């Protein structure tokens, strides 16, 4: 039995998003520790908010592309559910950890929570490439036209139709972000049907490409471990330099 082909370019794209995210979070951690001067505003400065927008968009685009690949490969439901449980469990751990570190702005619906909600939709909604593109467009545009104070609470703001942004360390609501993942699925289905080499083609030989592929394949583990490691290192360095 031959193994399924690896989608190296997709792995590398996901890995690139993880590298950028790591650098972004390292700067955030330095800022929190008072080591980044002048002090930065990660919530208001377009230099930082723009980077976050691109990082999250790239990551969720990869989620949609990956589900298109999984559909084509007919990944078994058991394997999908095992991965979903891993992501949902990590989302719970992120919430618990953020409650300890940021009790007034803990994460109730961040990127992993969003992925946990999106994945069943991406897998089981019976849509083709055009249908996903339409759904993606509606999801992207709807929050610009529909909002209500009833969606502003902690238990409803995950939908995204809020009138004000919640105070939280990470907020990736279903709308409009489902639109990015849906477009990833639409693009993935179209590419796999017509130009599969765009995703399956080789990468330049060398360690940088290999490192990106490795990170892309271990994205969840890296996501969960990089912040505790960096915060621990910065804290230890602060103690040593006192």
């Amino acid at each position: 039995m031959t193994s399924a082909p690896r989608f190296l370019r997709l792995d590398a794209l996901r890995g690139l998003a993880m590298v950028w995210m790591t650098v972004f979070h390292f700067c955030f951690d330095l800022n929190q520790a008072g080591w980044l001067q002048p002090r930065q505003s990660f919530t208001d400065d377009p230099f930082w908010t723009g980077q976050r927008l691109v990082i999250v968009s790239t990551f969720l685009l990869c989620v949609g592309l990956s589900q298109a690949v999984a559909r084509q490969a007919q990944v078994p439901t058991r394997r999908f559910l095992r991965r979903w449980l891993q992501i949902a469990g990590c989302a719970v751990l992120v919430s618990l950890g953020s409650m300890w570190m940021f009790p007034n702005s803990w994460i109730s619906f961040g990127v992993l929570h969003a992925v946990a909600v999106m994945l069943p939709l991406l897998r089981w909604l019976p849509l083709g490439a055009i249908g996903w593109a339409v759904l993606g467009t509606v999801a992207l545009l709807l929050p610009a036209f529909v909002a209500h104070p009833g969606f502003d609470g902690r238990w409803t703001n995950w939908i995204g139709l809020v009138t004000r942004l919640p105070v939280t360390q990470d907020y990736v609501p279903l709308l409009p972000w489902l639109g990015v993942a849906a477009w990833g699925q639409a693009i993935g289905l179209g590419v796999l049907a017509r130009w599969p080499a765009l995703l399956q083609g080789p990468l330049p030989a060398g360690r940088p490409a290999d490192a990106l592929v490795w990170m892309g394949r271990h994205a969840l583990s890296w996501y969960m471990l990089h912040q505790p490691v960096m915060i621990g290192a910065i804290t230890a360095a602060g103690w040593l330099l006192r």
Side-chain angles (χ1 to χ4, degrees):
M1 183 174 118
T2 59
S3 59
R6 291 299 314 188
F7 289 79
L8 298 180
R9 294 181 178 180
L10 177 54
D11 289 333
L13 180 61
R14 191 186 302 109
L16 179 62
M18 300 305 292
V19 170
W20 196 349
M21 176 200 70
T22 303
V23 174
F24 180 90
H25 282 166
F26 185 62
C27 294
F28 176 86
D29 296 339
L30 290 175
N31 193 60
Q32 288 288 106
W35 286 19
L36 204 59
Q37 297 298 329
R39 189 85 173 181
Q40 301 293 302
S41 175
F42 280 73
T43 57
D44 299 317
D45 189 338
F47 176 76
W48 298 110
T49 58
Q51 288 189 67
R52 179 185 181 275
L53 176 66
V54 176
I55 293 167
V56 177
S57 296
T58 304
F59 185 70
L60 291 179
L61 186 73
C62 288
V63 170
L65 289 170
S66 297
Q67 281 306 299
V69 169
R71 281 196 173 202
Q72 184 195 61
Q74 297 182 332
V75 170
T77 299
R78 179 176 295 181
R79 180 178 167 187
F80 169 81
L81 290 176
R82 182 170 64 246
R83 186 60 172 173
W84 181 86
L85 285 172
Q86 291 172 347
I87 293 170
C90 287
V92 172
L93 290 177
V94 166
S95 290
L96 294 175
S98 66
M99 284 180 185
W100 175 63
M101 292 193 65
F102 307 101
N104 296 321
S105 58
W106 61 280
I107 301 169
S108 60
F109 205 81
V111 65
L112 288 184
H113 305 74
V115 173
V117 173
M118 292 176 190
L119 281 178
L121 301 176
L122 293 168
R123 180 174 175 89
W124 283 306
L125 281 181
L127 300 175
I130 294 176
W132 283 111
V134 171
L135 176 62
T137 301
V138 172
L140 288 169
L141 295 178
L142 190 61
F145 298 97
V146 179
H148 190 275
F151 293 103
D152 290 345
R154 176 77 73 174
W155 297 103
T156 53
N157 62 26
W158 64 272
I159 297 171
L161 303 179
V162 297
T163 61
R164 56 179 174 80
L165 292 176
V167 179
T168 177
Q169 293 297 314
D170 190 27
Y171 179 55
V172 184
L174 189 64
L175 301 171
W177 289 106
L178 174 62
V180 179
W183 264 103
Q185 177 110 296
I187 293 169
L189 293 174
V191 167
L192 290 171
R194 296 171 178 83
W195 312 285
L198 290 177
L199 292 176
Q200 293 178 337
L203 292 169
R207 291 185 178 180
D210 292 342
L212 289 178
V213 169
W214 184 88
M215 289 187 68
R217 292 179 183 175
H218 300 87
L220 183 59
S221 298
W222 186 275
Y223 184 91
M224 294 301 296
L225 292 174
H226 79 286
Q227 274 289 60
V229 170
M230 290 193 301
I231 292 172
I234 291 171
T235 302
W239 289 339
L240 292 173
L241 294 175
R242 283 180 183 175

